[in-house]
Amino acid sequence: MASQTPKDSSLSGRPQAVPEAHPRKPLKARSKETLLDVNIVFSLFAAVNVLAALYAPIQDCDEVFNYWEPTHYLSHGYGLQTWEYSPEYAIRSWFYVAIHALVGRIGYMMSFSKTFEFYFIRTVLGLVCAYCQTRLYRSVSRAINPRAGVIFMTVMLSSPGMFHAAAAYLPSSFSMYACMLGAADFMDWRGGSKTPSAIMFFGFGGILGWPFATVLVAPFLLNEIFMASVTKEWSELIRRIIDGSVRCTAFLTLSISIEAFFYRKAVVVPWNIVAYNVFSGAGKGPDIFGTEPIDFYLRNLLLNFHLWSLLALLAIPLLSVQYLTGSHPSAFGLMKNMVFAMPFMMWFSIFSLQPHKEERFMYPAYPFLALNAAISSHVILSWLGNARPRTLIGMIPSKYRLLAVGLVVNLAINAGISRTIGMITAYRAPLQVYSRLASEANLGPETNLCIGKEWYRFPSSFFLPNGVHAKFVKSEFSGLMPGEFSEAKTGFGFFPGTWLIPSGMNDENVEDLSKYININHCDYLVDVSMPSAEPSLLEPDYIKDASTWEPVHCAKFLDSSKTSLPARILWLPDHSLVPGIFRRKWGDYCLLRRRKPVQGYDHV
């Protein structure tokens, strides 16, 4: 423990409660508990997250079709609908969507621009995330060490993974926010136990966000139970757990009520999500959407957190070695840090064993990865700083040890920043190209914007002028495409698209050809032309069909098949002095306008 932390005199290994007046002091007055003032830390988190909100490409089509499109429906009366929102299945929360729609409406009233509304929602999400990050930073500084708090902050600020997760409109990101608040309350006992509010935050993350994220509370609750067995304060523990559970139950009741308003029937969305993903049986469930090898998350985390991911995986072994070598202050201190390190390891292990894997499934564990990396770094720095003079490390002058640490940290930070810039410059073209549609004249409800093979990069109807609908053209993809929310009005009440059962939906990813229109009915088309791609009957190179389509706007898009692995992982300027292996290869991502009716493209 650092000298700033009150001396531990309890069996639990937690610091004693500070005087009652202390928690009520302004944050600035308590800045000595952290190496950096929390207001400065919040400003840093907010700055990075706002940049993410403005520039980060959308990583996952699920974010668009399952969250941005329903939000667009609530706000503007139309949008694309996935099978998950059919009342037959009801595995998506309208409560979650409605909150974002209300936030977006504020942005729309400020500008009357749907694009501004989109970025306003993302910015608010980034600021909420910054608040949660700051809360956890302060708790890490108090519970472990102020130096560990700074390392935690550094990991969160510089990692490409957090850059994308911070402002993502996904339940897994919301669960990440809630888990940060819950962990912050479990870790920080200044002013007394905060177990009820900690349970409440984890519960909120599971009810409104992603129910599987509630697993992350397990190590903290097990620690509470163990401490109660030592102190014999069972009644107090039971009271705190009941308090937190009642809060969660009240929130679940509110959630069920709001879902009933939209679905027109009683629905427990968290249970529906668990039931489909765990108990749906053969031919259904997440595995029909693709599976990945067991090392998928390891490789993904190495890309998005590089050195920090390795340190996170080493946290428990390093703590064990620290204790066995006698350099850890106490067994209870060891146990406390082990509890802090367990959530990430538990989450990483469980999800690595699941066949169906997606990057966003790791989002709730990202703060715990940063926490583990901070713990490992703190242990290593303690060894380096307290090395005995006669050991090999001890014989190295302290300034050189400090220089070596500084170089490694600087390399890690720059590697993260380089990849973040690389991702933005490589994959931001869809956000840029669709934005140009607003400058086109005479667009309205009869205008069809079509998408073929690039359907999964559609950034949402927020980028289309009012009344313009996105339509799908048949491509090589043979799964179930989204339909459209019902736009019925007279006699159907509020938001009929939320409770009317749509046609052509199923939970087995079986294709429905009625979701497509003929290419001849398209006024605009978005397509990509890659040097590495071979055109086919269903996926011709529309950009090269100059007799039918004229480009409105094109932007560069990374041709990953032609680009080497080093150039995909890290960013370097596209300059002639840069070796060819580090230079990226590009395709054209274009918004096309029809010149004249097409002859020959009469497929569905």
Side-chain angles (χ1 to χ4, degrees), residues 379-394:
V379 171
I380 293 171
L381 290 174
S382 297
W383 283 342
L384 292 175
N386 300 317
R388 295 176 181 177
R390 294 186 179 181
T391 62
L392 179 61
I393 294 177

Side-chain angles (χ1 to χ4, degrees), residues 121-435:
I121 292 173
R122 287 185 106 187
T123 300
V124 171
L125 290 174
L127 293 176
V128 170
C129 183
Y131 169 77
C132 300
Q133 289 170 301
T134 306
R135 281 280 310 276
L136 188 51
Y137 158 79
R138 187 172 63 184
S139 291
V140 171
S141 298
R142 286 175 167 180
I144 302 176
N145 185 280
R147 180 173 63 191
V150 171
I151 299 169
F152 169 83
M153 177 198 71
T154 302
V155 177
M156 297 287 270
L157 286 173
S158 63
S159 299
M162 273 306 303
F163 187 82
H164 290 290
Y169 182 5
L170 287 166
S172 50
S173 281
F174 177 82
S175 295
M176 179 183 72
Y177 305 161
C179 288
M180 281 192 277
L181 295 177
D185 278 356
F186 267 123
M187 293 173 70
D188 184 9
W189 272 54
R190 302 289 176 99
S193 170
K194 302 179 182 68
T195 302
S197 61
I199 293 173
M200 176 188 72
F201 285 127
F202 276 102
F204 284 7
I207 295 167
L208 192 58
W210 201 30
F212 300 105
T214 55
V215 172
L216 289 165
V217 77
F220 297 103
L221 286 180
L222 290 174
N223 183 58
E224 296 281 328
I225 293 170
F226 174 76
M227 289 304 163
S229 69
V230 174
T231 61
K232 308 303 180 184
E233 296 179 352
W234 289 107
S235 59
E236 177 60 21
L237 172 64
I238 293 171
R239 183 198 66 78
R240 295 198 301 264
I241 291 177
I242 291 175
D243 186 351
S245 300
V246 168
R247 300 184 196 190
C248 293
T249 303
F251 189 73
L252 178 61
T253 303
L254 174 64
S255 172
I256 293 172
S257 301
I258 294 175
E259 303 297 354
F261 169 78
F262 286 105
Y263 281 117
R264 299 288 180 93
K265 65 178 184 178
V267 171
V268 183
V269 172
W271 165 248
N272 287 353
I273 294 172
V274 173
Y276 179 78
N277 284 279
V278 179
F279 305 112
S280 54
K284 299 182 181 181
D287 293 357
I288 66 174
F289 299 100
T291 59
E292 299 290 345
I294 195 170
D295 65 340
F296 174 84
Y297 287 126
L298 177 61
R299 291 183 284 110
N300 185 266
L301 292 177
L302 286 171
L303 282 174
N304 287 320
F305 289 89
H306 40 84
L307 171 65
W308 306 121
S309 62
L310 296 176
L311 289 172
L313 293 170
L314 289 172
I316 291 179
L318 287 175
L319 286 171
S320 301
V321 171
Q322 186 186 39
Y323 179 72
L324 292 173
T325 57
S327 53
H328 201 283
S330 68
F332 285 105
L334 169 69
M335 188 191 71
K336 180 187 68 173
N337 287 337
M338 285 287 194
V339 168
F340 297 161
M342 282 176 62
F344 171 71
M345 293 304 303
M346 181 181 65
W347 188 269
F348 177 78
S349 301
I350 291 172
F351 278 84
S352 291
L353 294 174
Q354 306 307 309
H356 179 64
K357 300 177 178 69
E358 296 185 40
E359 181 176 327
R360 59 191 167 94
F361 293 171
M362 277 290 117
Y363 286 4
Y366 278 178
F368 298 100
L369 183 154
L371 175 58
N372 279 28
I375 291 172
S376 292
S377 300
H378 178 56
V379 171
I380 293 171
L381 290 174
S382 297
W383 283 342
L384 292 175
N386 300 317
R388 295 176 181 177
R390 294 186 179 181
T391 62
L392 179 61
I393 294 177
M395 289 187 287
I396 301 174
S398 58
K399 63 180 180 181
Y400 293 122
R401 280 179 269 166
L402 180 62
L403 176 63
V405 170
L407 289 174
V408 172
V409 172
N410 187 60
L411 179 63
I413 292 172
N414 281 283
I417 294 173
S418 175
R419 177 160 175 79
T420 298
I421 295 173
M423 294 290 287
I424 293 172
T425 54
Y427 300 113
R428 195 166 179 265
L431 296 175
Q432 297 170 312
V433 167
Y434 280 91
S435 297

Side-chain angles (χ1 to χ4, degrees), residues 452-484:
K453 61 179 178 286
E454 283 300 297
W455 64 269
Y456 59 96
R457 293 194 179 105
F458 175 56
S460 84
S461 297
F462 282 97
F463 287 82
L464 308 184
N466 286 322
V468 176
H469 288 60
K471 303 289 184 178
F472 297 112
V473 176
K474 184 72 177 83
S475 66
E476 299 289 352
F477 178 73
S478 59
L480 181 65
M481 298 295 291
E484 296 187 34

